[in-house]
Amino acid sequence: MSAGVTSLPEVPEVRAAGVPRLTAGFDLAERLDLAGHLVVHGPLPPLSGERLAALAEGIALRGRGGAGFPFARKLRAVADAAVRRGVRPVVVVNGSEDEPACRKDTVLLNRAPHLVLDGALLAAEALGARTLVVGVTRDSTRRSTERALDERGLADRRGAGLRARVQRNPHRMVTGESSALIRSIDGGPAKPPGRRVRAAETGVGGAPTLLSNAETFAQLAVAARTGVDRYRSTGVPDEPGTVLLTLSGAVARPLVLEAPSGVPLRYALQLAGAPADPQGVLTGGYHGRWLDPAAAHGAVVSRAALERVGGRLGAGAVLPLARDTCPLGEALPVARWLAGESAGQCGPCHRGLPAAARGLEEVLTGGGPPALEALRQITDAVRGRGACRHPDGSADFVESALVAFADDLAAHVLGGGCGRPVRAVLPLGTGGTGAVDGDAGEVSGRVLTVDWTLCEGHRLCADIVPELLPIGPDGYPSVAEVPVPHRALADAERAVRRCPALALRLEADPRHAAGPEAPGRGRRALRRGRG
């Protein structure tokens, strides 16, 4: 078995445990065109709005993008708002999937795009919508979806009964947030607007908008063909049907797995070639939670069951860790990546998340109990205060790692470290650098360094890159060295040029050049203050 992967194939291997539903026909073709789709799945029966809502209610369909909101309630809320306001609603398929550990929606849009469109078109017909938008961030999903729309004769033309198009956005974590996607469709930046907006009331163009992810619409299309009883014959009673999981981390073969809900988590891990006795399993991806070995061994895959043991289904990403790696050291690059994915619009994101990543590094590099206490204060402070849920999910990731890997934490806080290497098994993109499909939010391999012998506290740098160089109580930058994401590289260069005291430098990141390294006591990559 390999030590792990630092990136996932864009469209990984797909397997099914049991009879495939969403992935039916994948053994026949790499991509099901419209003709192949109809051979595999058959024609789609028409459904009225109320029958569609009753169907979604009957199969207990919840959003599969992470939030898990009941689809029938969302459908009825959009319909009610459209009638009350006398406007046509909009249907949006969220196929963004910008987390490095998730590939299920990418697989569906690349290999079974018509199943996703079936569900979206059922909803559009039921609501009387005249606009359908599919949001994506990868070129492969854009090409496949545009081809599928063309195969159906759908286009963004004036006078068409239904105007359909693909919205291509930058590949960043916050792009997939629902309000960010709606904002980009309206011509704005693909960032959350900074205020809580109910899409069902005011979405695209101010119209009531039904927005859900690709798997949700595909599940709806499957249920429309099978009916409630047959759909419920698979899976657990309270969450019937199948689920799509993306398995990576310390596995022999990363894959997307379709399995009935209620399947033992250890069986899903076995199919991917995970260690028989992992030291922990991350459930729900990078906005998810870690399970310790005992909880992971007894867990089954469903939203409620994972929540009961402290895990999270989220967007279906599952990542085990072997016992020959430093688990908190593995979590640190992810914490940095989450900080780099900030939209830079609110304090909890552009100040809190970088501080949490630095705090975790302080714990790993000899900060002792004071560093651990400071880290916990930071994660508590960012929760519930962001413009979107990115700070909350990121804090959950860090905090659950501290709980799940308590022995490793004690070795770093009270001793000289755990002594194990960091094998970089948690995917962050091609080559482990975090660059996935041209993602501009990942690490650039450069660090911004403050020369304290020259810094005079002019604060111009903080005006240009506040997310990289927060100002401390003394009026000086509170960090000495910070990795620069690709998206901030141009601003970092401008900050270097603008510094009147010539106190800033952009240098190659030695941690990047040297490859994965186990954090050890006494090595402090980030200095605090001016000392």
Side-chain angles (χ1 to χ4, degrees):
M1 184 185 74
S2 68
V5 293
T6 55
S7 64
L8 275 168
E10 186 152 309
V11 184
E13 176 188 351
V14 178
R15 296 189 65 181
V19 178
R21 288 182 170 182
L22 300 173
T23 60
F26 281 19
D27 57 333
L28 303 175
E30 281 300 306
R31 179 186 181 276
L32 293 171
D33 61 11
L34 183 56
H37 166 73
L38 292 174
V39 168
V40 171
H41 292 284
L44 188 67
L47 292 174
S48 66
E50 188 49 46
R51 285 183 61 198
L52 188 64
L55 173 69
E57 210 163 43
I59 64 170
L61 180 61
R62 289 177 174 266
R64 301 298 180 95
F69 194 82
F71 188 82
R73 282 174 54 190
K74 189 183 294 187
L75 187 68
R76 289 193 171 105
V78 173
D80 290 346
V83 170
R84 184 175 65 252
R85 295 175 51 195
V87 297
R88 294 274 187 179
V90 176
V91 174
V92 175
V93 178
N94 190 348
S96 301
E97 199 170 52
D98 300 305
E99 186 180 318
C102 293
R103 288 294 187 276
K104 65 187 180 69
D105 288 349
T106 299
V107 162
L108 285 174
L109 287 172
N110 273 278
R111 301 196 61 184
H114 290 285
L115 196 62
V116 178
L117 290 180
D118 277 349
L121 292 170
L122 275 173
E125 177 67 22
L127 291 168
R130 296 286 177 83
T131 302
L132 167 64
V133 183
V134 182
V136 301
T137 54
R138 291 185 170 91
D139 280 334
S140 63
T141 49
R142 175 189 58 79
R143 289 191 300 268
S144 178
T145 306
E146 287 179 344
R147 181 177 164 193
L149 292 176
D150 186 60
E151 289 167 352
R152 289 175 178 256
L154 296 172
D156 188 17
R157 291 191 299 265
R158 288 185 179 276
L162 177 71
R163 298 182 64 173
R165 66 183 178 89
V166 176
Q167 172 76 17
R168 172 70 153 90
N169 284 331
H171 192 158
R172 296 195 57 215
M173 185 79 162
V174 296
T175 300
E177 201 271 339
S178 59
S179 63
L181 177 54
I182 288 172
R183 193 178 181 191
S184 72
I185 292 170
D186 281 339
K191 296 180 180 181
R195 64 187 186 281
R196 299 302 171 98
V197 178
R198 289 189 66 222
E201 291 286 341
T202 306
V204 175
T209 299
L210 178 70
L211 186 150
S212 203
N213 83 309
E215 186 193 343
T216 311
F217 285 110
Q219 293 282 3
L220 189 65
V222 167
R225 290 178 167 94
T226 64
V228 171
D229 292 341
R230 186 176 160 201
Y231 186 95
R232 295 186 67 91
S233 66
T234 293
V236 294
D238 55 338
E239 297 178 39
T242 63
V243 294
L244 288 180
L245 303 174
T246 309
L247 292 135
S248 65
V251 299
R253 51 189 176 278
L255 56 84
V256 168
L257 174 70
E258 181 179 11
S261 61
V263 68
L265 178 61
R266 62 182 181 276
Y267 177 67
L269 293 170
Q270 179 185 349
L271 291 178
D277 185 25
Q279 69 169 320
V281 179
L282 179 61
T283 58
Y286 295 160
H287 277 179
R289 299 188 187 122
W290 289 95
L291 296 180
D292 62 28
H297 182 77
V300 298
V301 178
S302 78
R303 188 176 304 279
L306 286 172
E307 290 281 349
R308 282 194 294 270
V309 296
R312 178 175 288 166
L313 180 60
V318 177
L319 303 96
L321 285 183
R323 292 186 176 271
D324 62 351
T325 186
C326 172
L328 295 177
E330 296 287 351
L332 178 57
V334 177
R336 289 182 181 139
W337 180 83
L338 290 167
E341 289 297 284
S342 163
Q345 299 185 131
C346 63
C349 249
H350 82 255
R351 291 184 184 273
L353 297 188
R358 292 193 298 271
L360 180 56
E361 184 164 16
E362 292 288 331
V363 169
L364 292 173
T365 55
L372 177 59
E373 178 59 27
L375 173 58
R376 285 178 166 149
Q377 289 178 1
I378 292 167
T379 55
D380 286 344
V382 303
R383 185 173 280 104
R385 296 176 51 238
C388 67
R389 299 202 178 275
H390 182 53
D392 295 26
S394 303
D396 281 349
F397 171 83
V398 173
E399 285 191 349
S400 70
L402 301 180
V403 173
F405 304 116
D407 291 344
D408 189 75
L409 178 64
H412 284 285
V413 173
L414 303 176
C418 69
R420 288 172 291 179
V422 176
R423 301 188 183 278
V425 299
L426 300 181
L428 286 178
T430 305
T433 66
V436 179
D437 193 26
D439 191 346
E442 300 292 350
V443 225
S444 64
R446 310 286 296 281
V447 291
L448 188 61
T449 303
V450 180
D451 185 337
W452 297 119
T453 66
L454 298 175
C455 182
E456 298 176 0
H458 291 284
R459 302 175 59 149
L460 290 177
C461 56
D463 291 339
I464 298 170
V465 281
E467 72 276 21
L468 299 182
L469 294 175
I471 297 299
D474 60 357
Y476 288 81
S478 60
V479 297
E481 179 182 293
V482 62
V484 180
H486 275 297
R487 63 180 174 80
L489 189 55
D491 285 340
E493 291 171 344
R494 186 158 59 94
V496 170
R497 293 193 302 267
R498 292 273 305 274
C499 179
L502 304 179
L504 291 180
R505 295 192 303 272
L506 262 177
E507 301 174 338
D509 189 340
R511 289 164 296 188
H512 234 36
E517 180 182 349
R521 175 176 284 276
R523 183 176 63 83
R524 297 172 69 93
L526 300 181
R527 255 188 325 128
R528 296 187 181 277
R530 295 185 291 132

